[in-house]
Amino acid sequence: MKVLKFGGSSVANAENITKVAEIIRESYFDDQTIIVVSALGGITDALITSATMAATGDEAYKQSLQEIEKKHIDVVKELLPVTNQSAVLSMVKKMCNEIEDICNGIFLLGELSPRTKDRIVAYGELLSSQIISAAFKSKGLENEWKDSRELIVTDSGFGKAIVDFNLTNNKIVNYFSAAGKKLFLLPGFISSNAERHTTTLGRGGSDYTGAIIAAAMDAEIFEIWTDVSGMMTADPRLVSNPKQIPVLSYQEAMELSHFGAKVIYPPTIQPVMSKRIPVWIKNTFLPADAGTHVQHEVLKEGSAIRGISSINNIVLISLEGSGMVGIPGFSKRLFEALAQASINVILITQSSSEHSITVGIEEANMQKAKEVVDAAFEYEISGSKVEPLRIEKNLSIVALVGDNMRSHPGVSGKMFHALGRNGVNIRAIAQGSSERNISAVIATEDVRKAINTLHEEFFETTNKQVNLFIIGLGNVGGKLLLQLQKQNKYLQENLRMQVNVVGIANSKKMLFNDEGVDLRSWKEQLENGEPMDPHVFTDKIIAKNLRNSVFVDITANDDIAQLYSKLLQKSISVVACNKVAASSEYANYKSLKELAKEFNCQFLFETNVGAGLPVIGTLNDLLRSGDKINKIEAVLSGTLNFVFNNYNGDRLFADVVKQAQDEGYTEPDPRLDLSGKDVMRKIMILAREAGEKLEMDEIENRSFMPESCMKGSVDDFYKSMAKEEQHFKQIYANAADAGMKLKFVASFNNGKASVGLQHIDPKHDFYHLYGKDNVVLFYTDRYPEQPLVVKGAGAGAEVTASGVFADIIRVAGN
Ligand code: ADP
Ligand code: ASP
Ligand code: MG
């Protein structure tokens, strides 16, 4: 014999019920087969809403009841041939009249007791099961309808009654044994107490009905037919790539459902487990899918984690106080008080100092818990030995479940590291003594991010989603978007990384798309975006609360650099092409680095020095591996190198500078390059990264620019440079006459930094430095005489974008 249960969405309308009939036709062989059905999808909720409206004096309940009636009548008319309809329609009418009568009574009294509520919701399953029974008959599936209330006996805990298994099992066995081999159809969810009042088994309880009958009858199998292809690695409404779990042990299924995997109602597993009846979760809409088998045997192979689930509406209650230390019985009294008030404890943690006990309960029980616990400890509270019960709200539990966890150390470390990296604060932790689950209490607003983070960490070896927010879409930004678009496939295939550009902005407009902006048409989309406001942009990043969020700043703007600290404090990594922050006062640079460390994220700015060249990365690698930087000599200005490589007095110096700007090598304001300021910033950043506490005004700058050129606007700058042509000619001639080249060199030696134009002779490393190239020589303990050299193009949109890209990958790969 088999028991099959079909849930609300499986029987939501005539079309779906027809699918159910086909499934049964295929699996039903002349054996005893028991079908349990839920109410039509949404009807239980609608009945509760109507009754609640009636109780609060809202006459709209009548309208709502009419809709319920219409839905059932429509299903009957669509499912049954006209000739068979009248008896079923009058049954529907009769029941709907009864519901209305009861609701009228509720309306008059202004009161809805749990007992009346159960009576009302029971009509959902009574209606669906009788309609489906009639429909099956008309489709040639002869069957016997039986009212489950006559078989399942419970206590009077209306709303979620406790089953009396002795009485219930007897009734089930007696009934089915006498009834012979056939197809049976029963309503799920409903039961009755000793006085024959209708009770219910709790929301989602039809699964339980099926399991109770399957266990009593020693069924060969219990099938749960629903709208998903089995138990998934996480709630498909929360994560985008859940994986179907082929096999689960009873224990795992129980833990997952207890911690919120709605596909199985938590009490369901117990009765079938005690009889070792296999459970098969199947998809009504994709019956060929394998589904999930729940079985007695523990599966040894596979990952440590089988699934992840979550429950919302949790509060933590804590009992604390010096009077608790060393005195036995406190926890016993706490749990007794909760138990007497029928408050279910979901999670317990006790601090090792025994100063406090913290318990997770449903939010619905919060008020009651406060009353009963404060009453139970009234004496200690009045004597200030114990504090009044402390309550924290708006919490949720996320749980990792897997039988193999105990043989895989490090699961919790991995879990907490992943959550920490994403700024998910953990309020409490509990690990079941079976080591089959680890659960963490977190803020409800973080649940989606936490579940997705954990899902990626433990299941998505194929895809890690990185969410980018990019500000500044000029030369470099545009190139970056192009590179991201081109590399997308490679990143997915080789780094298992799915890069989503969720937000983009220039100085005028900003645009967001949680699924990722389509990079082929970002320009047009951005034009139609919202007006840009950097504070709104950052607030949106924070509010979206997406995992692996990275903020990318490709501006040269002071105000944008001010935003970093707020983002880092939310564990959002910052990749800055913008040099403002790293070259601001030392205290600010340092505090940003420390925030990144404290909040488990990263603050990277490789392109601040040498554009795409791995300069900062190399320096950091040297330091991390134990080397010491003794001296740095570098040509760090692509612009100045370009200018001095292309100037020989034939063309105006000012024209060569203009060419550098037109080719995109200079800062937006070229005076920053020509004055040597940009090079000062760079050598300062390198010195700081090497551990030196250096400020701009401590760097010596032997500027070659006449004072007159540095006043007024950029236009004035070009004009006055043209006027000073003789000065530049002289500088060039002095070097050329001596057979030397001109290079603007930065050095850091013995804690001192300086920048200035130097004559370079042909034997020097810097002599053969062409175009816009940069070069950095690191003299270290390991490279004392022959320095470690990093050399290559040090300016240009394409290479700078690739440096930003590399930082993004570095952040994401962590
Ligand atoms: P039914 O009406 O068939 O009883 P439910 O709505 O009670 O169906 O349960 C199925 C739903 O459970 C799925 O549609 C899915 O949204 C939700 N769900 C939550 N967690 C999980 C999970 N881990 N695996 C599968 N489904 C889950
Ligand atoms: N119809 C009931 C509910 O919605 C029982 C069930 O569907 O399992 O809770
Ligand atoms: Mg269900």
Side-chain angles (χ1 to χ4, degrees), residues 5 8 38-39 44 125 189 202-207:
K5 175 260 168 175
S38 291
T44 310
E125 267 71 9
F189 182 51
R203 293 303 308 272
S206 296
D207 297 340

Side-chain angles (χ1 to χ4, degrees), residues 250-287:
Y250 287 126
Q251 308 284 357
E252 288 172 328
M254 211 145 49
E255 296 276 354
L256 281 170
S257 68
H258 178 72
F259 283 105
K262 187 182 172 234
V263 64
I264 304 177
Y265 179 53
T268 305
I269 298 296
Q270 192 63 49
V272 278
M273 180 170 80
S274 64
K275 290 286 187 74
R276 295 202 184 177
I277 296 165
V279 179
W280 196 10
I281 308 171
K282 295 271 291 170
N283 190 340
T284 303
F285 308 101
L286 294 167

Side-chain angles (χ1 to χ4, degrees), residues 656-676:
V656 180
V657 174
K658 188 74 180 66
Q659 188 191 346
Q661 177 167 28
D662 291 344
E663 294 191 13
Y665 306 143
T666 67
E667 288 291 307
D669 180 345
R671 287 172 298 186
L672 267 176
D673 298 296
L674 272 288
S675 65

Side-chain angles (χ1 to χ4, degrees), residues 20 78 129 224 246 270 338 352 510 556 566 609 648 714 774 813:
V20 171
E78 227 181 296
S129 59
I224 297 179
Q270 192 63 49
L338 295 173
S352 54
M510 59 184 187
K566 187 169 174 187
V609 181
N648 57 11
V714 172
N774 278 195

Side-chain angles (χ1 to χ4, degrees), residues 475-484 487 554 575 577 606-607 610-614 793 795-810:
N475 277 344
V476 177
K479 283 277 187 299
L480 175 67
L481 291 185
L482 208 65
Q483 291 175 3
L484 283 168
Q487 269 316 84
I554 319 185
V575 168
C577 185
E606 176 61 88
T607 50
L613 294 180
E798 188 84 29
V799 289
T800 308
S802 77
V804 173
F805 199 152
D807 269 352
I808 294 171
I809 302 298
R810 227 165 271 149

Side-chain angles (χ1 to χ4, degrees), residues 282-494:
K282 295 271 291 170
N283 190 340
T284 303
F285 308 101
L286 294 167
D289 277 6
T292 298
H293 290 270
V294 186
Q295 59 179 35
H296 170 70
E297 292 76 23
V298 169
L299 213 70
K300 282 275 171 275
E301 69 271 19
S303 87
I305 306 300
R306 195 76 67 207
I308 303 169
S309 51
S310 64
I311 337 177
N312 292 340
N313 301 321
I314 297 293
V315 296
L316 281 182
I317 55 172
S318 302
L319 194 63
E320 299 173 321
S322 55
M324 289 174 58
V325 182
I327 302 175
F330 269 90
S331 38
K332 179 163 170 274
R333 282 166 61 198
L334 170 68
F335 292 117
E336 260 169 17
L338 295 173
Q340 270 166 13
S342 302
I343 296 170
N344 185 25
V345 169
I346 301 172
L347 165 148
I348 306 167
T349 56
Q350 177 162 26
S351 76
S352 54
S353 68
E354 297 181 41
H355 245 83
S356 71
I357 309 175
T358 298
V359 174
I361 61 171
E362 283 172 37
E363 193 174 291
N365 291 325
M366 175 176 78
Q367 231 20 65
K368 204 160 39 155
K370 174 84 180 143
E371 282 160 26
V372 299
V373 176
D374 282 352
F377 290 90
E378 195 183 355
Y379 173 73
E380 286 84 354
I381 291 171
S382 68
S384 299
K385 285 191 180 321
V386 168
E387 305 289 321
L389 193 70
R390 195 158 59 83
I391 296 181
E392 286 170 79
K393 292 193 284 189
N394 303 324
L395 299 174
S396 296
I397 297 177
V398 290
L400 294 185
V401 173
D403 284 328
N404 295 336
M405 226 184 255
R406 70 191 108 178
S407 54
H408 286 69
V411 171
S412 54
K414 205 167 159 189
M415 172 181 188
F416 299 130
H417 179 69
L419 293 178
R421 213 175 49 216
N422 278 284
V424 177
N425 191 27
I426 295 169
R427 264 301 296 118
I429 300 166
Q431 176 156 33
S433 55
S434 62
E435 287 188 50
R436 199 171 278 118
N437 94 60
I438 306 175
S439 31
V441 180
I442 62 172
T444 301
E445 61 181 20
D446 285 336
V447 166
R448 185 176 284 270
K449 180 163 79 171
I451 296 276
N452 277 285
T453 300
L454 295 173
H455 196 260
E456 266 174 12
E457 192 71 31
F458 290 98
F459 295 106
E460 291 178 42
T461 41
T462 47
N463 258 335
K464 171 173 185 175
Q465 195 182 95
V466 180
N467 295 301
L468 298 187
F469 297 87
I470 305 175
I471 257 185
L473 293 164
N475 277 344
V476 177
K479 283 277 187 299
L480 175 67
L481 291 185
L482 208 65
Q483 291 175 3
L484 283 168
Q485 190 192 330
K486 278 198 192 141
Q487 269 316 84
N488 201 347
K489 194 156 167 272
Y490 177 91
L491 294 179
Q492 287 199 20
E493 287 172 1
N494 295 279

Side-chain angles (χ1 to χ4, degrees), residues 60 85 89 99 136 179 244 268 312 411 449 505 525 534 541 577 587 654 659 672 683 760:
Q85 280 176 12
L89 285 177
I99 301 172
F136 280 11
Q244 182 241 328
T268 305
N312 292 340
V411 171
K449 180 163 79 171
Q525 294 175 65
I541 301 175
C577 185
Q659 188 191 346
L672 267 176
I683 193 71
I760 301 293

